[in-house]
Amino acid sequence: MPSFESGRWQWENAAAGAIAGFATVASLHPLDVVRTRFQVQDGRISTLPSYKNTGHAIFMIARTEGLRGLYSGFYPAVLGSTISWGLYFFFYSRAKHRYSEGSGKQLSPGLHLLSAAEAGALVCLFTNPIWLIKTRLQLQTPHHQNRPYSGFSDALRTIMKEEGWRALYKGVGPSLLLVSHGAIQFTAYEELRKLFVRFKHNQGKGNRAREDKLLNSVDYAVLGASSKIAAILFTYPYQVIRARLQQRPSIEGIPKYMDSWHVVKETVSSSPDQRLPLIDGLQIPQKEKAYLICRFSLFRLQIYSAYVVMHVSSE
């Protein structure tokens, strides 16, 4: 019976993660398009317009490309986010169950970190081709020199034909490093959740209540936002590197960047008056700061969606 309940809970986590991923993308995809375009603006000659800030970017994309431009790459974004969050919650729950040896005992921070890293690495290997196609679709404009992709399947066929299957795994190095994002995020989340639960127990609110019913939606929102802030501060530059590596090659087939180190060198050598120093000398455009604020709200939506599904399914 315990193994059956454990398996049921793992699948509930996977379903909750998938629903949270879909809800997030459906509501905030235009901001993701803006973020991707900001990330690849490096001061070089580009087919992308130059945007002053987030509002200006949304206005210009809507004016020149219409609603389709704001939702470019929507299908792979929904597919990738749904699969990623579903697999992440599933692998994370499986790993925690394995490391606790099926006893349900609380794990140490180190084992939480290992569980999150393991889940993130597996998800990364499964979904990198989807994210690469999403990035390229989001960067397409009417002024693009290459023949535009007509959609997800056309992009997949064209990449396989022109660049080979290895091109689908461009940016996988930074993506694997971004595993630390999920590891930091969920480790911080789990440890903060323990503190919240202990605090409510000490107040006498949880003498007979189950742990998953002690916390309300506001608690989950605070937990999600706090853990997300910690993860972003450490890992956001890797997203910039990945986006720049995943750009479509020129019409001559020459990639804009050869590898991650090439991206770092070119970014660091950019004009300092338009950049902010971040981790280990890596720098990102100031315009990307606005997107970070949106990410906090985005993660709160993910956590709350997951909480609702798991809460209902446990009734």
Side-chain angles (χ1 to χ4, degrees), residues 9-26:
W9 180 249
Q10 289 159 9
W11 284 110
E12 287 173 352
N13 281 343
I19 293 172
F22 175 80
T24 298
V25 173

Side-chain angles (χ1 to χ4, degrees), residues 85-303:
W85 279 102
L87 288 178
Y88 195 100
F89 274 74
F90 178 71
F91 288 138
Y92 184 61
S93 300
R94 289 288 296 269
K96 287 201 302 180
H97 178 71
R98 185 171 66 253
Y99 291 129
S100 67
E101 299 176 348
S103 63
K105 63 182 180 181
Q106 287 194 341
L107 299 179
S108 66
L111 288 177
H112 275 304
L113 186 68
L114 185 60
S115 300
E118 177 185 316
L122 289 170
V123 170
C124 171
L125 295 175
F126 273 104
T127 60
N128 195 78
I130 300 175
W131 297 126
L132 179 134
I133 293 173
K134 185 211 76 164
T135 297
R136 293 194 175 185
L137 289 172
Q138 289 179 337
L139 295 177
Q140 286 190 154
T141 69
H143 306 292
H144 212 275
Q145 294 179 347
N146 303 77
R147 181 188 71 81
Y149 303 128
S150 62
F152 179 82
S153 58
D154 179 58
L156 181 61
R157 286 194 302 267
T158 304
I159 292 170
M160 291 286 289
K161 180 180 178 181
E162 296 181 354
E163 304 172 58
W165 67 269
R166 291 186 179 180
L168 294 172
Y169 281 88
K170 285 183 177 180
V172 73
S175 293
L176 287 171
L177 291 175
L178 276 166
V179 166
S180 61
H181 182 107
I184 294 168
Q185 172 183 315
F186 275 89
T187 300
Y189 179 84
E190 291 286 353
E191 295 308 309
L192 288 171
R193 184 181 60 81
K194 290 178 186 177
L195 291 176
F196 271 56
V197 171
R198 190 178 302 122
F199 175 75
K200 292 204 170 186
H201 269 299
N202 292 338
Q203 284 189 324
K205 296 181 179 180
N207 294 332
R208 298 181 180 178
R210 284 173 44 183
E211 183 175 301
D212 61 334
K213 292 185 177 181
L214 285 176
L215 304 181
N216 55 40
S217 58
V218 175
D219 295 328
Y220 279 102
V222 173
L223 289 172
S226 302
S227 58
K228 189 66 174 180
I229 290 171
I232 284 177
L233 291 176
F234 281 97
T235 63
Y236 187 77
Y238 295 128
Q239 296 185 35
V240 179
I241 296 173
R242 180 180 62 182
R244 295 186 178 185
L245 283 175
Q246 290 182 339
Q247 293 178 90
R248 190 174 185 179
S250 66
I251 198 168
E252 295 84 12
I254 303 173
K256 202 169 185 180
Y257 295 98
M258 304 306 298
D259 51 39
S260 297
W261 180 238
H262 186 203
V263 177
V264 173
K265 288 191 298 183
E266 291 295 323
T267 303
V268 171
S269 64
S270 298
S271 175
D273 61 331
Q274 296 180 355
R275 310 260 164 186
L276 285 177
L278 206 57
I279 303 166
D280 294 333
L282 188 61
Q283 301 169 349
I284 61 172
Q286 289 184 3
K287 291 176 287 187
E288 290 168 14
K289 291 188 296 181
Y291 182 75
L292 300 183
I293 299 173
C294 299
R295 291 293 295 183
F296 302 153
S297 300
L298 176 152
F299 186 69
R300 286 198 297 269
L301 176 60
Q302 292 171 335
I303 289 296

